Amino acid sequence: MEAKNFIEEIINRDLESGKISQVKTRFPPEPNGYLHIGHAKALCVNFGLKEKYGGTCNLRYDDTNPVKEDEEYVNAIEEDIKWLGFKWDEKLFASDYFDKMFECAVLLIKKGLAYVCDLTAEQIRETRGTLTSPGTESPYRNRSVEENLDLFMRMKAGEFADGEKVLRAKIDMASSNVNMRDPVIYRVVHATHHNTKDKWCVYPMYDFAHPIEDAVEGITHSVCTLEFEDHRPLYDWVVENCGFEKKPQQIEFARLNITNTIMSKRFLKRLVDEKTVDGWDDPRMPTLCGMRRRGYPPEAIRDFCERIGVAKANSEVESSYLDACVRDFLNKTADRVMAVFNPVRVVLTNYDGEEFFEVENNPNAEQISSRRVSFSNELFIDGSDFEVNPPPKYHRLKPDGYVRLKGAYIIRCDRVEYNSDGTVNTVFASVVLNSKSGKDESGLKVKGVIQWVNARDCVPVKTFRFKSLLLPAKDGVTDFTERLNRDSKTEINGFGERRLEDAKRPDRFQFMRIGYFAADGKDGEAVVFNEIVGLKDSFNAKS
């Protein structure tokens, strides 16, 4: 098959050479938080390889740290994967292999390739050396095999406190790769595990557990992000010295970074814990559940990941690129409806009937359809579409001016009634009766076309519009909290067509001339909508 990136080139060579007969990948999240847009890229890469090559992709939770993991995150991860449209072959846990991992650790001890160390975590860091100087061997490095086995079994039995002893791989304290300088592969943690409960009080480190999981499952290509490139020698060392015949190949690719977007689960959790946002699914969050609630279509996220491709070097993608992909999809799929914000009441003085107009739902849809919209002598228009003292070249409604109501009539503003505070109370207008849309015989040339809703047959809407949680980076600012946008959420109320009354997640609409919005429940009589993206952006997603 034609390769689209360097990962597929490697796989093609492996298939052609007979090194492998089937592609087997995995998606290995740690269940310590919710997935975000960065994980979407990893999902698309791994499950995309499965789909392209007719292979398999397992969902495997790297649950080796019982202190930070929770069943809540497990359930959320699965919902997100399904939402993106992916299906895993097997659902597995690192904890499924704890017995095997313990056996491998014992095997390394017996080979003289692992030892129990009494140094504290801080002491281990201090003796590890630097990029330019070798590390210092632990005074416990040359314990006998018998003593190490005895101590390791006592660690397993719970005789030692957290941090009192660790098991380290015995490799090379002078290695140019710091990760190979006798890394810790097991530690004592007295905590209840979400899956194994209280069976264990010793847990493997990720760098030890991951290659064993891959090898046991027969993974052919262990695809991960670039921060694990320096860990690859340790990955290969574990597979080799634990005696596995099938040796997975680790391949690293550039992680996804998006401008002014928080891409760290730790930082995102901090926003939730400190109640800076309204939870993991806050529509401002780059979490997949937040994007789902905001109304991002999963198809658009997959399209975005496909367009940015797979690279070997880290880079940053403009957030407007993602918005453009979302907008492209919604332009073809979202029905148009009329809604007005900060509404202005308009009374038509020469019209007392009631009728319906046929209005097109989406001119870009594969199948064109229309809907009936009711019309009366009392309407609401958007507050931005009326000006008492308009600027030059203003083509919307103004005193003594004309404007066309979308799909209906041309109207003329005759007079304005004001409130005691000087704000507009009601606009009185007259209908040009022979100007019906599609049958206009008025001869008037009107440049402005505005949306409207029937005041007697409309639905109150509460909408939220969003800006990025992060402001652009400033010189010298390292703490992301100093860049938080305190004005990232705005509430605007108005009215919409009657058809919006029954809207619910994941219904998406284009509010004509305003933006794309997604239903998010109700607040009393009002239907709540989140703005997904605006109608226009300067970014060219097709370039």
Side-chain angles (χ1 to χ4, degrees), residues 425-454:
N425 177 284
T426 305
V427 172
F428 293 91
S430 54
V431 172
V432 179
L433 295 175
N434 61 345
S435 66
K436 185 179 292 189
S437 183
K439 301 178 181 179
D440 188 354
E441 299 175 353
S442 67
L444 292 174
K445 302 297 183 183
V446 177
K447 292 184 178 181
V449 180
I450 64 173
Q451 75 271 25
W452 53 274
V453 295
N454 184 350

Side-chain angles (χ1 to χ4, degrees), residues 487-501:
D487 187 30
S488 59
K489 180 178 180 179
T490 304
E491 178 182 332
I492 306 176
N493 296 312
F495 296 100
E497 291 180 32
R498 174 60 60 184
R499 72 168 297 190
L500 295 178
E501 184 175 33

Side-chain angles (χ1 to χ4, degrees), residues 15-29:
L15 287 167
E16 291 166 4
S17 67
K19 179 181 177 181
I20 63 169
S21 58
Q22 184 185 34
V23 175
K24 296 183 179 182
T25 65
R26 79 291 167 272
F27 177 68

Side-chain angles (χ1 to χ4, degrees), residues 427-484:
V427 172
F428 293 91
S430 54
V431 172
V432 179
L433 295 175
N434 61 345
S435 66
K436 185 179 292 189
S437 183
K439 301 178 181 179
D440 188 354
E441 299 175 353
S442 67
L444 292 174
K445 302 297 183 183
V446 177
K447 292 184 178 181
V449 180
I450 64 173
Q451 75 271 25
W452 53 274
V453 295
N454 184 350
R456 297 177 180 176
D457 185 32
C458 61
V459 177
V461 295
K462 175 187 286 189
T463 63
F464 293 98
R465 308 183 87 168
F466 307 103
K467 297 178 182 177
S468 173
L469 276 170
L470 278 188
L471 297 171
K474 294 182 179 179
D475 292 341
V477 175
T478 56
D479 188 341
F480 83 97
T481 58
E482 296 182 38
R483 292 176 55 197
L484 284 178

